[in-house]
Amino acid sequence: MTSTPRISFEFFPPKTPEGCAKLLKTRAALQQFHPDFFSITYGAGGSTRNTTAEIAIEERRRGISIAPHLSFGCDDETTLLTLLNRYKNANINRIVALRGDMPSGMGATAQLVYASELIAFIRHHTDSHFHLEVAAYPEIHPEAESYIKDIHFLKRKFEAGANSALTQYFYNVDSYFYFLDQCQKFGIDAPIIPGIMPIVNFTNLARFSRNCGAEIPRWLQLRMKSYSNLEDMRKLGLEVVTTLCQRLLQGGAPGLHFYTLNAAKPSTDILHALSF
Ligand code: FAD
């Protein structure tokens, strides 16, 4: 096992004052694990540009290590540069840089900029100020031309200046270790941290997973379908995801990045079960 696995937690920007209050409580509760950083997502197409930035800057002012997610979205270079300078001036030094997706209905017309181009842009304008995280897909990005091409384009993100990667979530531990082997064959030696999605509401998870290309194993789907109440599903989810994390850490994964959906308990239960 890695001696000190790197822990991080992802949030999304809430839309209401109640959501903001809940987020602060969640963040406070998760600080017990001394995470490397918290990250905050960027709505599809840049739709949460201001809220993401405001939350990130405010959290940094409170002394929290925070990594805003960023994509070109619908923005031009000047808008993006203004945002990067705001982050730099706020002493934010980590960004999760993505191509992003377009909000539904805009996909056909919008011009998406590949993440490698965004990384090159950030490096060109801000040199080595930011630690740049990128996305990686052990089960391969749904639009990828092929398994190998997706790894080829991941390598391009590192060549453009990325420092490490956070993965899409997955429930098949072999997909991660096979992916790492293939990445190493391509000469990628940067840390690739597995993304962990706790299982809370299985119906929602199954729907979301269909869109983002994360596979839910057949045995797990069948087992979940045999339960009629949420508490039983939650217990099985905790057992399954804790075992996944154990295997990842025992196999040498450099850390765990939790998709919290702004709730502390699911990640906390897993980390306590892992004796963190
Ligand atoms: P890229 O690395 O650009 O890859 C996108 C696709 O294009 C892949 O299929 C790749 O194989 C292909 N490709 C790359 N370069 C080329 C090229 N030069 N020529 C041809 N094909 C190419 N989405 C959001 O909107 N907001 C978020 O905050 C957000 N956070 C995320 C955090 C994590 C950890 C992860 C894993 C995903 C996140 N996403 C987010 C989702 C992500 O934006 C989508 O999966 C998006 O479709 C791809 O983004 P990317 O950065 O991986 O893109």
Side-chain angles (χ1 to χ4, degrees), residues 1-2 5 7 170-174 176-177 194-196 236-258 267 269-276:
M1 196 194 289
T2 313
I7 303 297
F170 55 89
Y171 296 102
N172 178 351
V173 73
D174 290 336
Y176 172 78
F177 288 115
I196 305 298
L236 176 63
L238 174 60
E239 188 188 312
V240 167
V241 180
T242 302
T243 305
L244 172 72
C245 293
Q246 252 161 5
R247 291 188 180 154
L248 287 167
L249 294 175
Q250 279 162 2
L256 301 169
H257 177 73
F258 286 88
S267 313
D269 287 350
I270 295 166
L271 284 163
H272 282 163
L274 291 167
S275 304
F276 272 80

Side-chain angles (χ1 to χ4, degrees), residues 10-11 13 39-48 52 68-71 96-103 112-119 133-138 140-154 156-157 165-169 193 195 208 211-212 257 259:
E10 179 186 294
F11 299 137
S39 83
I40 179 114
T41 61
Y42 202 60
S47 51
T48 65
T52 297
H69 294 209
L70 185 65
S71 68
V96 183
L98 304 143
R99 183 195 73 173
D101 288 318
M102 280 297 153
L112 283 170
V113 175
Y114 291 120
S116 54
E117 297 167 60
L118 173 63
I119 288 145
E133 304 278 354
V134 288
Y137 303 83
I140 300 305
H141 186 263
E143 293 161 30
E145 258 181 69
S146 71
Y147 191 102
I148 290 301
K149 284 226 164 138
D150 209 31
I151 296 184
H152 168 82
F153 291 125
L154 175 62
R156 203 173 271 188
K157 295 196 262 193
L166 306 168
T167 79
Q168 182 57 279
Y169 65 89
I193 289 96
F208 184 66
N211 295 330
C212 70
H257 177 73
Y259 294 104

